[in-house]
Amino acid sequence: MKKFFCLISLIGLMACQKPSAPIDYTVGLHYVGSVWVEYNGETYENKDIEVSFTLSDDGKSADIQINGIRFVPQMPVTVDTVLPVTVSGNGEGYTFTAHNVYPHSPAGAEQNKYIINNLSGMVSEGMLSFSLKFGAYPTSFTGFPK
């Protein structure tokens, strides 16, 4: 009988919980993970890289911003770069693509040294992942909420 009352109480508590609010992707969600870059026959892993995903107000595009990355050890400085993508999906999560576009700085200046091709990925509350080519260099990211 004691177990029965505990079970009824647990069900009652779950029924009283408010449903979680929908995720607002337009405010920018932040993820931390690794960026892998293939360069000159080697794959380099950049750990603990912060990447944000910010959906446009109309829900048709988004910016993916990679912060403080040195894509390969030979790079003299770290950079922040923004990848503009086309989006499809709903409030539960989105898929995105980009082809033949240039990244830009957070301030908006086009970074036309490495064109983006074959970018595809997905974002949800629990994960952000994508792969692309920066020029001829295959690059990918997988990260989890910060």
Side-chain angles (χ1 to χ4, degrees):
M1 190 66 130
K2 197 178 208 183
K3 287 182 185 180
F4 175 74
F5 285 118
C6 287
L7 180 60
I8 295 298
S9 296
L10 181 61
I11 291 171
L13 282 174
M14 289 189 306
C16 292
Q17 290 181 349
K18 293 181 181 178
S20 59
I23 302 162
D24 185 358
Y25 288 89
T26 62
V27 298
L29 300 178
H30 300 274
Y31 300 83
V32 175
S34 291
V35 174
W36 291 272
V37 180
E38 290 182 36
Y39 178 75
N40 287 342
E42 295 199 38
T43 301
Y44 296 94
E45 180 181 8
N46 298 275
K47 295 180 180 181
D48 300 320
I49 301 297
E50 184 178 326
V51 176
S52 63
F53 177 91
T54 306
L55 186 67
S56 64
D57 289 337
D58 67 6
K60 295 180 181 178
S61 64
D63 284 337
I64 297 169
Q65 182 169 324
I66 304 172
N67 295 309
I69 185 151
R70 179 177 281 128
F71 286 98
V72 295
Q74 296 83 347
M75 281 183 68
V77 297
T78 62
V79 297
D80 297 340
T81 190
V82 178
L83 315 175
V85 296
T86 302
V87 174
S88 63
N90 58 35
E92 298 295 315
Y94 295 88
T95 59
F96 49 85
T97 60
H99 187 68
N100 213 26
V101 298
Y102 289 101
H104 58 84
S105 72
E110 191 172 87
Q111 299 168 331
N112 58 9
K113 188 171 181 180
Y114 299 105
I115 194 165
I116 297 170
N117 281 301
N118 302 323
L119 188 152
S120 65
M122 59 80 55
V123 64
S124 68
E125 178 182 16
M127 185 174 81
L128 171 66
S129 66
F130 58 88
S131 63
L132 70 145
K133 279 194 166 185
F134 270 115
Y137 307 106
T139 305
S140 63
F141 172 81
T142 299
F144 300 93
K146 180 178 176 184

